[in-house]
Amino acid sequence: CVNNPALSLKLQKDAAANTGKHSYTPWVLVDGKISPSDGDKLLAEVCAAYSGTKPAGCAKLALRSPALW
């Protein structure tokens, strides 16, 4: 969508500066921090970090294993 090499490079550098350190892709931020999970505990991390009314998925998770969050 950008046909200007200088602008394209600037956009790439801006995106890289806002990406944060990571050693793999894809990676997920939970509450602004890189998730230590490889995806297997992502729902538990999100439910633990969420401060509002928990969505239905969190209730189902609590029924299976409340120790996860």
Side-chain angles (χ1 to χ4, degrees), residues 10-22 27 29:
K10 181 186 179 320
L11 291 172
Q12 290 173 33
K13 287 182 177 181
D14 289 349
N18 291 313
T19 298
K21 287 280 200 185
H22 59 282
W27 75 100
L29 297 178

Side-chain angles (χ1 to χ4, degrees), residues 28-59:
V28 176
L29 297 178
V30 177
D31 220 8
K33 299 174 192 144
I34 295 176
S35 166
S37 168
D38 62 0
D40 60 332
K41 295 181 180 72
L42 184 59
L43 179 58
E45 290 178 55
V46 170
C47 290
Y50 193 73
S51 61
T53 301
K54 305 283 187 207
C58 293

